[in-house]
Amino acid sequence: MLSRAMAALQDRPVLFKYTLDEYGTARRTAVVRCFIDALTRGGPGGTPRPIELHSHDPVRYVGDMLAWLHQAIASEKELLHSLLRLSSSSDQQIEKEILSHITEGTGGAGHCSEPGAMLLFSLANILKFYGTTIGSLIDEDATVTVTILDMNALALKMFFNSLNCHASTLLEKIELPPPDLSPTESLKETMSLLKDVLASHDASVIPLDARQADYSRIISCLIDPLHSDVFTLSASSLNASGHGWLYMINCIHQIQRHVSGLRFYR
């Protein structure tokens, strides 16, 4: 009946648009209310559990919120399509504009502290995936889409700032090579961080090709300072004994051993 009524209103464009605006406002209120309930109360009978219970785990917390939004937007799109299925003036642009209005209330600004590099990288991957996925369902300029992509950019910026700070710390205090010419502890810690970050692509939902540029930048942030300054300065203390090149070979081997098993490297 509603779809037939909307089809009949097409002959009166002003009323047709007014009805769609009112529909969008009503659904926006309903979606915001359901979103708040999902955050604080959970589903019927407490299943699923409130999303807020996972606020101590930022990756799970953000992922659950975005998954709920994605499901809600898909449901709203199906409902709207059913409402306008008999309307000849129905098109994707109209639907996206209405969906954009419906989801405006869920696109509030997020707050971010200064977590570790691994956490920031995981958050950036999740935000990028859902920003792209949700953007394909609604208008790319929708508030919720813009908010998610802005948070993705912020997470990536903070992530690379964290890597740069790590590299700066290494340059401020150059470790002397140990007696056995093995890599220093700072190099081992850096390689462990690099391996954890790059290996996280296995759990990421973003296609590998879309992350190649990020990988190159990550490696540059961590490896270039080591190669150009740390290795050179550390090895210079061994030049008199002729062991400088041996130490650098050991360091390069350490790097190669950590990254050679990763999928992006092969």
Side-chain angles (χ1 to χ4, degrees), residues 69 73 100 103-104 106-107 134 138 142-149:
L69 282 175
I73 291 171
S100 175
T103 57
E104 277 183 4
T106 61
I134 292 176
I138 60 178
T143 301
V144 65
T145 307
V146 172
T147 299
I148 293 173
L149 293 178

Side-chain angles (χ1 to χ4, degrees), residues 75-94:
S75 298
E76 290 298 322
K77 183 176 182 179
E78 183 178 351
L79 181 61
L80 181 60
H81 182 73
S82 176
L83 180 66
L84 299 178
R85 62 188 176 88
L86 299 180
S87 302
S88 59
S89 61
S90 174
D91 58 37
Q92 291 187 352
Q93 186 57 35
I94 292 177

Side-chain angles (χ1 to χ4, degrees), residues 15-264:
L15 288 177
F16 184 75
K17 184 179 184 306
Y18 177 78
T19 302
L20 287 179
D21 289 343
E22 288 298 312
Y23 169 83
T25 300
R27 292 308 306 164
R28 173 183 173 178
T29 301
V31 168
V32 171
R33 183 170 59 249
C34 290
F35 185 48
I36 294 175
D37 286 345
L39 287 172
T40 59
R41 300 174 59 183
T47 304
R49 302 176 69 189
I51 297 175
E52 289 283 359
L53 292 180
H54 303 293
S55 59
H56 62 281
D57 182 354
V59 175
R60 171 76 180 274
Y61 186 46
V62 172
D64 285 353
M65 282 193 290
L66 294 177
W68 188 95
L69 282 175
H70 178 249
Q71 183 178 5
I73 291 171
S75 298
E76 290 298 322
K77 183 176 182 179
E78 183 178 351
L79 181 61
L80 181 60
H81 182 73
S82 176
L83 180 66
L84 299 178
R85 62 188 176 88
L86 299 180
S87 302
S88 59
S89 61
S90 174
D91 58 37
Q92 291 187 352
Q93 186 57 35
I94 292 177
E95 291 183 1
K96 286 187 175 183
E97 289 177 0
I98 298 172
L99 288 172
S100 175
H101 177 62
I102 291 173
T103 57
E104 277 183 4
T106 61
H111 300 277
C112 191
S113 57
E114 187 70 36
M118 273 300 302
L119 177 57
L120 287 166
F121 189 62
S122 298
L123 288 174
N125 284 337
I126 292 175
L127 290 164
K128 185 174 183 179
F129 170 74
Y130 279 107
T132 303
T133 303
I134 292 176
S136 66
L137 294 176
I138 60 178
D139 191 9
E140 293 182 355
D141 295 328
T143 301
V144 65
T145 307
V146 172
T147 299
I148 293 173
L149 293 178
D150 284 348
M151 292 178 68
N152 165 250
L154 176 61
L156 274 180
K157 180 180 179 180
M158 294 176 66
F159 167 68
F160 284 113
N161 284 343
S162 179
L163 295 188
N164 289 330
C165 288
H166 179 85
S168 298
T169 301
L170 295 179
L171 297 177
E172 289 174 0
K173 185 178 180 181
I174 304 298
E175 290 186 66
L176 294 177
D180 61 357
L181 302 182
S182 62
T184 60
E185 287 301 318
S186 60
L187 173 61
K188 293 178 181 178
E189 292 176 3
T190 301
M191 289 302 97
S192 179
L193 173 61
L194 178 64
K195 181 180 179 181
D196 289 342
V197 170
L198 297 182
S200 67
H201 72 72
D202 288 334
S204 176
V205 288
I206 300 176
L208 181 62
D209 292 342
R211 300 194 303 274
Q212 289 293 347
D214 288 339
Y215 285 142
S216 299
R217 188 177 173 189
I218 291 168
I219 293 175
S220 296
C221 284
L222 292 177
I223 301 301
D224 288 354
L226 289 175
H227 182 268
S228 61
D229 294 299
V230 179
F231 290 175
T232 303
L233 293 174
S234 296
S236 63
S237 63
L238 299 172
N239 285 339
S241 61
H243 293 155
W245 287 108
L246 180 59
Y247 167 71
M248 293 189 69
I249 290 173
N250 289 338
C251 291
I252 294 173
H253 174 71
Q254 179 83 352
I255 296 174
Q256 192 272 341
R257 185 171 64 86
H258 275 79
V259 302
S260 60
L262 300 175
R263 187 172 65 185
F264 88 98

Side-chain angles (χ1 to χ4, degrees), residues 1-13 16 86-87:
M1 291 293 293
L2 287 176
S3 58
R4 292 173 60 186
M6 292 300 297
L9 281 175
Q10 289 182 105
D11 295 334
R12 299 186 177 185
F16 184 75
L86 299 180
S87 302

